[in-house]
mmCIF file of all heavy atoms in Angstrom:
data_model
loop_
_atom_site.group_PDB
_atom_site.id
_atom_site.type_symbol
_atom_site.label_atom_id
_atom_site.label_comp_id
_atom_site.label_asym_id
_atom_site.label_seq_id
_atom_site.Cartn_x
_atom_site.Cartn_y
_atom_site.Cartn_z
ATOM 1 N N GLY R 195 10.214 17.557 11.124
ATOM 2 C CA GLY R 195 9.526 18.697 10.709
ATOM 3 C C GLY R 195 8.132 18.845 11.241
ATOM 4 O O GLY R 195 7.563 19.924 11.184
ATOM 5 N N CYS R 196 7.607 17.758 11.718
ATOM 6 C CA CYS R 196 6.176 17.782 12.185
ATOM 7 C C CYS R 196 6.076 17.179 13.578
ATOM 8 O O CYS R 196 5.445 16.120 13.798
ATOM 9 C CB CYS R 196 5.279 17.008 11.234
ATOM 10 S SG CYS R 196 5.423 17.522 9.489
ATOM 11 N N PRO R 197 6.600 17.814 14.594
ATOM 12 C CA PRO R 197 6.565 17.284 15.947
ATOM 13 C C PRO R 197 5.170 17.256 16.523
ATOM 14 O O PRO R 197 4.913 16.552 17.554
ATOM 15 C CB PRO R 197 7.456 18.184 16.703
ATOM 16 C CG PRO R 197 7.458 19.473 15.986
ATOM 17 C CD PRO R 197 7.370 19.062 14.602
ATOM 18 N N SER R 198 4.204 17.976 15.941
ATOM 19 C CA SER R 198 2.863 17.934 16.417
ATOM 20 C C SER R 198 1.994 16.865 15.807
ATOM 21 O O SER R 198 0.772 16.858 15.983
ATOM 22 C CB SER R 198 2.215 19.309 16.112
ATOM 23 O OG SER R 198 2.174 19.619 14.734
ATOM 24 N N LEU R 199 2.596 15.926 15.130
ATOM 25 C CA LEU R 199 1.911 14.812 14.427
ATOM 26 C C LEU R 199 1.087 14.036 15.479
ATOM 27 O O LEU R 199 1.564 13.601 16.543
ATOM 28 C CB LEU R 199 2.881 13.848 13.770
ATOM 29 C CG LEU R 199 2.264 12.811 12.849
ATOM 30 C CD1 LEU R 199 1.642 13.413 11.627
ATOM 31 C CD2 LEU R 199 3.315 11.739 12.458
ATOM 32 N N ARG R 200 -0.214 13.854 15.176
ATOM 33 C CA ARG R 200 -1.134 13.157 16.143
ATOM 34 C C ARG R 200 -1.623 11.795 15.598
ATOM 35 O O ARG R 200 -2.054 10.959 16.429
ATOM 36 C CB ARG R 200 -2.270 14.071 16.444
ATOM 37 C CG ARG R 200 -1.969 15.127 17.454
ATOM 38 C CD ARG R 200 -3.080 16.057 17.710
ATOM 39 N NE ARG R 200 -2.921 16.903 18.890
ATOM 40 C CZ ARG R 200 -2.110 17.979 18.981
ATOM 41 N NH1 ARG R 200 -1.416 18.322 17.901
ATOM 42 N NH2 ARG R 200 -2.029 18.666 20.083
ATOM 43 N N ALA R 201 -1.582 11.607 14.293
ATOM 44 C CA ALA R 201 -2.056 10.362 13.756
ATOM 45 C C ALA R 201 -1.149 9.933 12.612
ATOM 46 O O ALA R 201 -0.893 10.681 11.712
ATOM 47 C CB ALA R 201 -3.511 10.537 13.212
ATOM 48 N N LEU R 202 -0.704 8.726 12.621
ATOM 49 C CA LEU R 202 0.170 8.132 11.623
ATOM 50 C C LEU R 202 -0.369 6.777 11.174
ATOM 51 O O LEU R 202 -0.582 5.898 12.033
ATOM 52 C CB LEU R 202 1.610 7.995 12.148
ATOM 53 C CG LEU R 202 2.609 7.327 11.262
ATOM 54 C CD1 LEU R 202 2.777 8.110 9.952
ATOM 55 C CD2 LEU R 202 3.927 7.046 11.920
ATOM 56 N N SER R 203 -0.531 6.593 9.874
ATOM 57 C CA SER R 203 -1.021 5.371 9.283
ATOM 58 C C SER R 203 -0.053 4.888 8.235
ATOM 59 O O SER R 203 0.164 5.610 7.241
ATOM 60 C CB SER R 203 -2.442 5.582 8.773
ATOM 61 O OG SER R 203 -2.954 4.347 8.216
ATOM 62 N N LEU R 204 0.497 3.714 8.406
ATOM 63 C CA LEU R 204 1.424 3.096 7.433
ATOM 64 C C LEU R 204 0.819 1.843 6.900
ATOM 65 O O LEU R 204 0.634 0.849 7.676
ATOM 66 C CB LEU R 204 2.790 2.858 8.104
ATOM 67 C CG LEU R 204 3.473 4.054 8.757
ATOM 68 C CD1 LEU R 204 4.735 3.627 9.454
ATOM 69 C CD2 LEU R 204 3.818 5.154 7.706
ATOM 70 N N TRP R 205 0.579 1.738 5.559
ATOM 71 C CA TRP R 205 0.042 0.550 4.940
ATOM 72 C C TRP R 205 0.992 0.090 3.892
ATOM 73 O O TRP R 205 1.412 0.893 3.001
ATOM 74 C CB TRP R 205 -1.327 0.844 4.272
ATOM 75 C CG TRP R 205 -2.420 0.969 5.254
ATOM 76 C CD1 TRP R 205 -2.390 1.176 6.616
ATOM 77 C CD2 TRP R 205 -3.848 0.933 4.968
ATOM 78 N NE1 TRP R 205 -3.601 1.298 7.196
ATOM 79 C CE2 TRP R 205 -4.566 1.138 6.173
ATOM 80 C CE3 TRP R 205 -4.589 0.752 3.782
ATOM 81 C CZ2 TRP R 205 -5.942 1.166 6.238
ATOM 82 C CZ3 TRP R 205 -5.942 0.833 3.865
ATOM 83 C CH2 TRP R 205 -6.641 0.981 5.092
ATOM 84 N N ASN R 206 1.454 -1.145 3.966
ATOM 85 C CA ASN R 206 2.251 -1.713 2.873
ATOM 86 C C ASN R 206 3.486 -0.935 2.583
ATOM 87 O O ASN R 206 3.816 -0.531 1.472
ATOM 88 C CB ASN R 206 1.438 -1.900 1.561
ATOM 89 C CG ASN R 206 0.156 -2.680 1.818
ATOM 90 O OD1 ASN R 206 0.165 -3.741 2.402
ATOM 91 N ND2 ASN R 206 -0.948 -2.254 1.246
ATOM 92 N N VAL R 207 4.284 -0.731 3.631
ATOM 93 C CA VAL R 207 5.556 -0.018 3.461
ATOM 94 C C VAL R 207 6.652 -0.933 3.919
ATOM 95 O O VAL R 207 7.162 -0.795 5.104
ATOM 96 C CB VAL R 207 5.530 1.322 4.225
ATOM 97 C CG1 VAL R 207 4.781 2.372 3.483
ATOM 98 C CG2 VAL R 207 4.939 1.201 5.616
ATOM 99 N N PRO R 208 7.146 -1.824 3.068
ATOM 100 C CA PRO R 208 8.158 -2.870 3.550
ATOM 101 C C PRO R 208 9.494 -2.286 3.917
ATOM 102 O O PRO R 208 10.275 -2.950 4.610
ATOM 103 C CB PRO R 208 8.236 -3.798 2.325
ATOM 104 C CG PRO R 208 7.848 -2.897 1.185
ATOM 105 C CD PRO R 208 6.751 -1.983 1.719
ATOM 106 N N PHE R 209 9.855 -1.061 3.436
ATOM 107 C CA PHE R 209 11.116 -0.503 3.674
ATOM 108 C C PHE R 209 11.212 0.378 4.965
ATOM 109 O O PHE R 209 12.316 0.874 5.269
ATOM 110 C CB PHE R 209 11.609 0.309 2.496
ATOM 111 C CG PHE R 209 11.570 -0.465 1.150
ATOM 112 C CD1 PHE R 209 10.773 0.001 0.140
ATOM 113 C CD2 PHE R 209 12.302 -1.634 0.996
ATOM 114 C CE1 PHE R 209 10.738 -0.735 -1.043
ATOM 115 C CE2 PHE R 209 12.259 -2.375 -0.173
ATOM 116 C CZ PHE R 209 11.445 -1.882 -1.197
ATOM 117 N N VAL R 210 10.072 0.512 5.601
ATOM 118 C CA VAL R 210 10.135 1.267 6.866
ATOM 119 C C VAL R 210 10.232 0.269 8.057
ATOM 120 O O VAL R 210 9.502 -0.663 8.150
ATOM 121 C CB VAL R 210 8.842 2.118 7.037
ATOM 122 C CG1 VAL R 210 8.761 2.690 8.411
ATOM 123 C CG2 VAL R 210 8.773 3.161 6.006
ATOM 124 N N GLY R 211 11.235 0.479 8.856
ATOM 125 C CA GLY R 211 11.499 -0.401 9.986
ATOM 126 C C GLY R 211 11.508 0.297 11.331
ATOM 127 O O GLY R 211 10.943 1.404 11.501
ATOM 128 N N ASP R 212 12.139 -0.301 12.325
ATOM 129 C CA ASP R 212 12.159 0.228 13.600
ATOM 130 C C ASP R 212 12.855 1.604 13.715
ATOM 131 O O ASP R 212 12.408 2.508 14.469
ATOM 132 C CB ASP R 212 12.903 -0.675 14.590
ATOM 133 C CG ASP R 212 12.138 -1.999 14.796
ATOM 134 O OD1 ASP R 212 10.869 -1.966 14.685
ATOM 135 O OD2 ASP R 212 12.751 -3.019 15.059
ATOM 136 N N GLU R 213 13.837 1.831 12.870
ATOM 137 C CA GLU R 213 14.564 3.125 12.876
ATOM 138 C C GLU R 213 13.581 4.285 12.610
ATOM 139 O O GLU R 213 13.692 5.352 13.254
ATOM 140 C CB GLU R 213 15.750 3.154 11.909
ATOM 141 C CG GLU R 213 16.792 2.181 12.193
ATOM 142 C CD GLU R 213 16.467 0.715 11.814
ATOM 143 O OE1 GLU R 213 15.413 0.532 11.263
ATOM 144 O OE2 GLU R 213 17.300 -0.170 12.066
ATOM 145 N N GLY R 214 12.750 4.106 11.625
ATOM 146 C CA GLY R 214 11.775 5.179 11.263
ATOM 147 C C GLY R 214 10.819 5.435 12.388
ATOM 148 O O GLY R 214 10.489 6.593 12.770
ATOM 149 N N LEU R 215 10.341 4.343 13.044
ATOM 150 C CA LEU R 215 9.427 4.509 14.150
ATOM 151 C C LEU R 215 10.116 5.102 15.406
ATOM 152 O O LEU R 215 9.478 5.757 16.179
ATOM 153 C CB LEU R 215 8.825 3.131 14.510
ATOM 154 C CG LEU R 215 7.328 3.185 14.997
ATOM 155 C CD1 LEU R 215 6.428 3.867 14.022
ATOM 156 C CD2 LEU R 215 6.829 1.725 15.142
ATOM 157 N N PHE R 216 11.431 4.838 15.504
ATOM 158 C CA PHE R 216 12.201 5.373 16.638
ATOM 159 C C PHE R 216 12.190 6.953 16.492
ATOM 160 O O PHE R 216 11.933 7.618 17.474
ATOM 161 C CB PHE R 216 13.623 4.962 16.567
ATOM 162 C CG PHE R 216 13.926 3.559 16.977
ATOM 163 C CD1 PHE R 216 15.029 2.850 16.608
ATOM 164 C CD2 PHE R 216 12.954 2.895 17.819
ATOM 165 C CE1 PHE R 216 15.238 1.541 17.004
ATOM 166 C CE2 PHE R 216 13.188 1.543 18.219
ATOM 167 C CZ PHE R 216 14.282 0.851 17.821
ATOM 168 N N GLU R 217 12.341 7.426 15.284
ATOM 169 C CA GLU R 217 12.400 8.900 15.021
ATOM 170 C C GLU R 217 11.070 9.493 15.351
ATOM 171 O O GLU R 217 10.868 10.566 15.957
ATOM 172 C CB GLU R 217 12.798 9.160 13.632
ATOM 173 C CG GLU R 217 14.229 8.895 13.302
ATOM 174 C CD GLU R 217 15.175 9.799 14.100
ATOM 175 O OE1 GLU R 217 14.817 10.944 14.344
ATOM 176 O OE2 GLU R 217 16.270 9.301 14.483
ATOM 177 N N ILE R 218 9.947 8.781 14.912
ATOM 178 C CA ILE R 218 8.573 9.294 15.240
ATOM 179 C C ILE R 218 8.354 9.379 16.720
ATOM 180 O O ILE R 218 7.885 10.381 17.270
ATOM 181 C CB ILE R 218 7.559 8.373 14.558
ATOM 182 C CG1 ILE R 218 7.564 8.542 13.019
ATOM 183 C CG2 ILE R 218 6.165 8.692 15.058
ATOM 184 C CD1 ILE R 218 7.078 9.884 12.522
#
Side-chain angles (χ1 to χ4, degrees):
C196 308
S198 59
L199 190 69
R200 282 175 165 79
L202 175 63
S203 180
L204 303 176
W205 287 14
N206 303 318
V207 283
F209 306 121
V210 173
D212 292 332
E213 293 80 2
L215 213 54
F216 287 159
E217 290 295 326
I218 291 292

